[in-house]
Amino acid sequence: MATNPWQAPKPQKSVVRWLLDSDPSIRWQVMQDLIGGSAEEVRAERARVAAEGAVAALLALQGADGRWGGAAWNRGWNSTMHVLMLLRDMGLDPASDQARRAVDLVRDRVTWRGCGPKECDGNAFFEGEVEPCINGQVAAVGAYFGQDVRGIVDRLLVEQLPDGGWNCESAKGSTRSSFNTTICVLEALLAYERAVPGSEKAIEARLRGQEYLLERRLFRRRSTGEMIERDRKGGGVWTRFAFPTWWHYDVLRGLDYLRNAGVAYDERVAEAINLVASKCDSDGVWPLDVRYPGVMPVETDQGEGLPSRWNTLRALRVLLHFVPRDA
């Protein structure tokens, strides 16, 4: 294994104070991932997430029919799937009463009628539809919230391409994987692996997909080594960091997945780590580089181009994982 040549930056006290002076969904993750809070402190702070701030606001938007935004999925970020993704990212405890009530309503009442291919109209929400990008996101939140997503996972395993990744265009004949689709599926398989221990086929597929990212150093073409400036489908720039990311890939999202999966330092992530570190400003924080157009259910940051607590939290924990202070 390659020797890690860097030493991680210690978060400035002023930055930590700024992060802690925020929503409980950020505070508990700062305590857990950045400053080494005790298990009891982290647990107590996380318990506040369901009842206060952004998560409480999101939960209050759920309709009596179990849906958010009147849809299982839409293009505007305020649908059932997108809100569940935010609730996962913000760390709503799946065991909380609030989470159980909300997710039970989704499981029992929400279908894909009018939100996907006609043949999926009768599918329950956690049965998914046909696109691996969407199914990856549904499986990720379903596994996180303790739902049965075996049907989706089985479908995703069959859809893995020879290069190790996934692509929503494969049904139309594409044989090359998409970073956007692959990251959505990888997050799903990791969540499923943790929810259903011993799922060997899923683990094997995830590791192959993970290697797809590493072989490309998270943002380069394998064939030429050329940096991929912009993705072909959505036009997103992978060196610009968003939160929420939705279906879009970027380098920070790729590294945060690897951190979450417990992947050790590898020289193939070196350039990506340098990129993340270079985006830190003189105050020790990271900006929100981009916010994807669409209706947001709640505000999560101050705005595009301004300091972002979410990007700062995610960047710092990536650096602390891959660049330990005692390196």
Side-chain angles (χ1 to χ4, degrees):
M1 183 177 295
T3 301
N4 190 329
W6 296 288
Q7 188 171 35
K10 184 176 181 180
Q12 298 177 23
K13 290 182 179 180
S14 59
V15 173
V16 171
R17 286 196 298 270
W18 174 67
L19 290 171
L20 291 172
D21 183 22
S22 63
D23 194 84
S25 61
I26 293 177
R27 287 199 301 266
W28 85 267
Q29 296 186 66
V30 171
M31 295 168 67
Q32 173 183 269
D33 299 334
L34 301 186
I35 62 175
S38 70
E40 183 178 352
E41 291 171 327
V42 171
R43 187 164 50 248
E45 189 60 39
R46 191 180 188 187
R48 301 174 61 181
V49 169
E52 301 178 22
V55 167
L58 287 169
L59 291 170
L61 293 173
Q62 186 178 27
D65 61 1
R67 299 185 299 176
W68 279 271
W73 171 89
N74 63 22
R75 298 182 183 278
W77 320 132
N78 64 342
S79 73
T80 302
M81 186 192 80
H82 294 111
V83 171
L84 289 175
M85 288 175 63
L86 266 181
L87 294 175
R88 177 202 63 173
D89 289 342
M90 292 178 167
L92 173 63
D93 186 347
S96 67
D97 291 340
Q98 295 94 329
R100 287 176 173 170
R101 283 196 298 269
V103 175
D104 285 353
L105 274 177
V106 174
R107 182 195 63 221
D108 296 340
R109 300 186 182 183
V110 179
T111 71
W112 286 89
R113 182 171 298 278
C115 297
K118 194 70 176 173
E119 64 266 27
C120 299
D121 275 358
N123 288 10
F125 181 80
F126 291 113
E127 290 177 325
E129 46 119 273
V130 298
E131 289 197 19
C133 176
I134 292 174
N135 280 342
Q137 294 168 84
V138 174
V141 297
Y144 177 82
F145 285 111
Q147 299 303 302
D148 182 0
V149 292
R150 286 175 294 179
I152 296 180
V153 170
D154 287 345
R155 179 178 182 127
L156 292 172
L157 297 183
V158 172
E159 293 171 333
Q160 190 169 27
L161 294 172
D163 63 8
W166 288 263
N167 192 335
C168 285
E169 302 297 320
S170 60
K172 300 176 183 178
S174 177
T175 58
R176 291 192 299 174
S177 294
S178 154
F179 277 68
N180 294 317
T181 304
T182 298
I183 194 65
C184 292
V185 176
L186 284 175
E187 290 172 353
L189 294 181
L190 181 60
Y192 184 75
E193 179 181 325
R194 289 173 174 168
V196 186
S199 45
E200 296 300 329
K201 290 184 179 179
I203 294 171
E204 180 183 345
R206 182 179 66 80
L207 293 177
R208 284 180 58 212
Q210 185 173 290
E211 191 65 17
Y212 170 88
L213 294 184
L214 290 169
E215 286 176 342
R216 291 155 180 80
R217 298 178 180 265
L218 279 74
F219 65 123
R220 292 193 174 274
R221 300 188 192 283
R222 185 184 179 194
S223 57
T224 65
E226 173 191 10
M227 185 173 78
I228 302 172
E229 297 278 358
R230 187 180 296 269
D231 81 71
R232 291 188 299 273
K233 182 176 181 181
V237 179
W238 294 349
T239 57
R240 300 184 69 201
F241 305 152
F243 184 86
T245 55
W246 308 123
W247 58 267
H248 297 274
Y249 176 85
D250 63 45
V251 172
L252 179 56
R253 183 178 183 180
L255 282 171
D256 207 21
Y257 157 77
L258 294 174
R259 173 203 64 84
N260 192 25
V263 176
Y265 173 79
D266 180 313
E267 62 89 17
R268 294 174 294 178
V269 303
E271 191 175 12
I273 291 170
N274 276 333
L275 172 63
V276 170
S278 74
K279 307 274 276 187
C280 180
D281 71 15
S282 59
D283 294 323
V285 304
W286 278 256
L288 184 69
D289 289 329
V290 61
R291 175 170 153 172
Y292 296 112
V295 177
M296 283 283 289
V298 297
E299 292 300 328
T300 56
D301 263 314
Q302 300 175 69
E304 191 172 303
L306 297 174
S308 164
R309 285 184 171 88
W310 282 105
N311 276 357
T312 299
L313 163 64
R314 293 161 63 232
L316 283 172
R317 70 185 179 193
V318 158
L319 293 178
L320 288 171
H321 172 77
F322 284 109
V323 193
R325 294 177 194 173
D326 59 354

